[in-house]
Amino acid sequence: MASKSQKQKISSGGKVSKRGKNKPTISVNEEEEPINMESLGHPEIYPLVLTTKTQEIFNCRIDEDITDEQPYKLIKKEDIFADFQNRAAVSDFYPLKKIIQEYPGDELLIVYDKDFRYGLNFYLIGTEEGKENYLNPPEVPEEQEEYKEHVPEDTYIYTPPVSKPWVSLGSEKEIEEESVKEFTKQITYMISRKRSQFGAPIKFSDQNASSVKDAYIECTAYPDKNFTVKQLEKDVGMQVVPKVKDTSTQTRWTYPKNATTQYCPREFSEEEKETLGQSKSLTDFLNNASISVEIALQQNEIMNTFIDDWKYLAEEEGTFGDKTDTHLKEYQSFTDLHNLTEKMITCVSWHPVIYGLIAVSVAVRLSFEDRVHFSGKLLLQPSLILFWSFSDPIHPQLMLESPEDIFCFKFCPSDPNIIAGGCINGQIVMWDITAHADRIENIKTGGGRSKKVTLKPMFLLEPESNKEAMYIRHCAVSSIENGHRNVITDIHWLSDTFEINRMGSVFENRSGICCQLVTCSADCTICFWDIRPQKPSAPQPTEKKKEESIEIPFDIPSTFLHLDLSWKPLARIRLSKGETSLDHCPTKLSLSEDHLPYKAQDKMLAQNKVMEVGEMNPYQNLEGGLANHLKPIEDFCTKFFVGTEEGEVIYTDWKMERDPETGRLMTKKPVSLYTVHDGAVHTIQRSPFYNDIILTIGGWNVAIWKEGVMTGPLLQSSCAPKRYTSGHWSLTRPGVFYIGREDGYIDIWDLLEKTHEPAQSQNICTTTITCIKPWTFSAKQQFIAIADYYGTLHILEIPWTLSHPSTNEVSSMNHYFEREVKHLEYVEQRKKIREQEKKQMELETEKKKVKTYQKSKELLEAELKMDYESYLELEKTVLINLGLIKVAEKVSYMDMM
Amino acid sequence: MAEVEETLKRIQSHKGVIGTMVVNAEGIPIRTTLDNSTTVQYAGLLHQLTMKARSTVRDIDPQNDLTFLRIRSKKHEIMVAPDKEYLLIVIQNPCE
């Protein structure tokens, strides 16, 4: 490029210039952005593109302002700056802005580059000097001027080049190699011929090559053994290719049709069966076949050959914990430290859904006279149901207030936020804790507790230290005049599958929730209550006014507002012994449908129900009573067990009947009544495994009954050394139940181990145990809550052996009960047999007496004679033996006789 | 005819027997102590199974023949006594 441009310069300039290397000369501009022709040796020349617009602005239009004679234009610097301001980056001069700014002079020279010598159509000369040189080109061309400094001579003398000796640089070798030379000597042939033969006429003819000898020489191929190689190995490639064949068929397409087939088995008609049945072939066949079949049947009866003895030898798959450990382990205990009066726990109930939450009802430990005496003081203290949680042993989570001491309470099975309790004065109290449900649901261990949980002395304890203990007022109480008159001893929710009406008839419960309660009280009545609003029977304006004036605090839910103070029982059953004597005083009930609820599946159901019902709590919108058009369920078992204070177990019916004479509703007479206990019956409970096995505990002994067996209890224990005060079936083992005594011991009975005495006895506390409630949380964790007379609730953990049933425990217990039933039957039968025997014996003795009397005198004489004769003979023999009489004489004597 | 009933009664009275039925060679029940639908189901299925069992035995050894078939399941045991023309099926619950 450089040389070309040199040539250009030379041609244009017309003079030869000696060139050295381009020295990076002078100006700083060379390093700047704008491209200049430094490479071409003109650092002051900056090529430039001027668009037609720019040309118009600056009046340097091609062929108009700028011609060949005057191919340049002087432009003022100010104009360019104005252009910059006007057009900014669009301006064509923008790339050379810097140069223009630094330009010393006022006017810049723009030269039209027609030949595009410098690449673009215009170029700017960036220095004054350059401008001067261009405008006023000196006689000597520009290139010369540059090098004037270096070459001080004025003229240039031509010296012809002097030839120098050639220096070999190795190129001749290559040339030699590449050149073609003759190696071999060329062969020369000289061919001569007689001159006369030249030019003779030539005649061409055809000739077969094979016919003339030596006309041709051939070199035939022959097999040469030297060159034959026997191929011993041959590499052959093979490929197996499946033979693919493309075929196609076509079926006739019809529209899809639905087709069904239905078949019924072939059967014989009755006559055919008869005829076949009587045919001889069948008889023969059966005779032959039945032999083998009976052998097989008997084999099965004798022994089950397929059982795995090894597997059945072991009791459990794996034990959790020590197998020998059979003691109940203390887990936690709760005492209410805030209240100063001495209280006892009357009833305990585990929360059916939430883990670790247990509710206790406390009552003051005073006798009736003391209650009357201190009634003023008692009014000031609220009666409470406390909710304890495992996470906080000091502060109860919730406290439910009630007007009087509660003696029994139950969670509603369909909604654990509804609680019904029975008071000492005969009222039923209802609570609805739905609003506080989240409080107790989110109890976590350690959450919300202060770091130091030390027992402070009582005067320092503040109930609001960690959490505000909530006092929740009751929602509704029953009517005082129409309810019970004495303490309510037992309360149950009726199952949500049925409901009853005033007559005691059973109807299907369409509402799906538990809506009826049954209570028994010491005023000798059993009442059924319905929590739904009753249809108003008669308007009572005065009472309404009274109710309206009572202001209900705003934080009480209005679930049971319709019941408050006006709640009347639906039906009332009076347990009367007869016309004259006192009535029975019921202490506990056990209904047939009243399973021990809250087994694992039921818990799930309850949870699901609670969750579904989240939005629409059915208890918030209780609709009125029974639909009278529903037909009563016919064969529902309406009988139930009642335990009384005298120790009797009554099996009676709740269905009322109409007295034929008076037309009033009357309760039926009890089906059966047994007095087995020496004291008040405090526990009647159905076994969680068998619906018809009932455990009754009272006084000093225990009895187990089977519903339907009228002759007596299946098992009746002997008198225990200490009075029994509470009891409960075990929830997981069918043969185990727990009994609490009045000295603080708990007796654990295991019917599979011993039936005459408890299997174990363990001390829990120092005072009477008032309530026992076991609960299962998981397969591995089972707790038992034991409440005592001094107000302490003990939670103990049930060990593995007591909670985990052995493999066939249920069937063993079943057998045991069946055996006992059979035993009872046998006893009955024996009774009869004994009676018969007794009768027979009496008859015989009678006969004997008669016989002796009828012996007559003749017989007596004959007997006397016989005796005398035998005596004579005896005398004779004795005398003969003594030798006093000779034998002969005897003979002659005999002859003479 | 009384014999037939008597034999069937005798078999039925064994301990644990749930049902007894007599089926002809085509699988149509003749006598049964169970309800119709169960009988028909058992008859059809067991008839096919017996045919299969018999053919198996005879395939292995043509001189051999099936005399008795016992199927033990978790819940009970099914016994089939086959014949040229009939099939006697007994269902027993062997466990106590």
Side-chain angles (χ1 to χ4, degrees), chain B residues 66-81:
Chain B
L66 180 72
T67 49
F68 205 75
L69 183 66
R70 269 164 97 163
I71 302 162
R72 184 66 172 254
S73 75
K74 261 199 283 192
K75 293 189 185 171
H76 24 252
E77 178 157 341
I78 305 169
M79 289 166 240
V80 180

Side-chain angles (χ1 to χ4, degrees), chain A residues 403 412 418-421 426-432 473-483 491 493 513-517 528-536 540 543 547 550 552 556-570 618-625:
Chain A
C412 173
I418 309 269
I419 300 145
Q427 277 183 313
I428 298 184
V429 188
M430 301 283 290
W431 287 273
D432 183 358
R473 196 181 166 274
H474 53 272
C475 232
V477 289
S478 67
S479 158
I480 299 176
E481 305 92 36
N482 298 322
I491 185 169
W493 287 87
I513 51 169
C514 291
C515 49
Q516 290 189 333
L517 293 163
F528 289 90
W529 306 76
D530 195 318
I531 63 174
R532 294 172 294 193
Q534 305 291 323
K535 288 174 196 165
Q540 284 158 346
E543 283 194 64
E547 283 170 35
I550 295 169
I552 296 135
I556 302 301
S558 59
T559 329
F560 298 114
L561 208 54
H562 52 270
L563 297 170
D564 201 8
L565 286 175
S566 59
W567 198 7
K568 280 190 258 198
L570 187 65
Y619 283 102
Q620 309 293 348
N621 326 332
L622 286 167
E623 287 169 1

Side-chain angles (χ1 to χ4, degrees), chain A residues 281 294 299-301 304, chain B residues 10 14 70 72 86 92:
Chain A
S281 57
E294 282 185 335
Q299 275 178 355
N300 281 338
E301 280 167 30
N304 186 0
Chain B
R10 201 177 68 233
H14 271 264
R70 269 164 97 163
R72 184 66 172 254
Y86 303 100
Q92 186 195 26

Side-chain angles (χ1 to χ4, degrees), chain B residues 27-60:
Chain B
I28 306 173
I30 299 172
R31 286 270 186 282
T32 174
T33 60
L34 299 169
D35 58 285
N36 200 24
S37 51
T38 319
T39 306
V40 151
Q41 192 177 25
Y42 268 106
L45 294 167
L46 286 168
H47 169 254
Q48 290 178 22
L49 185 65
T50 316
M51 291 299 122
K52 191 73 177 183
R54 178 179 274 153
S55 70
T56 308
V57 168
R58 290 186 78 127
D59 276 348
I60 293 169

Side-chain angles (χ1 to χ4, degrees), chain A residues 256-267:
Chain A
K257 246 192 303 194
N258 279 336
T260 55
T261 50
Q262 196 174 9
Y263 60 91
C264 71
R266 279 187 300 171
E267 286 176 19

Side-chain angles (χ1 to χ4, degrees), chain A residues 298-359:
Chain A
Q298 272 182 353
Q299 275 178 355
N300 281 338
E301 280 167 30
I302 293 167
M303 186 180 147
N304 186 0
T305 51
F306 289 96
I307 51 166
D308 188 357
D309 293 319
W310 185 249
K311 196 170 84 164
Y312 280 93
L313 200 62
E315 274 291 307
E316 293 116 30
E317 290 100 50
T319 52
F320 195 77
D322 198 5
K323 215 173 173 180
T324 55
D325 176 26
T326 52
H327 264 66
L328 302 170
K329 284 181 286 256
E330 176 95 16
Y331 186 80
Q332 215 169 11
S333 72
F334 299 103
T335 321
D336 190 18
L337 301 164
H338 300 299
N339 293 316
L340 298 169
T341 47
E342 292 153 346
K343 297 227 173 167
M344 66 173 180
I345 296 180
T346 48
C347 185
V348 173
S349 182
W350 292 88
H351 196 278
V353 174
I354 299 175
Y355 169 87
L357 198 65
I358 184 167

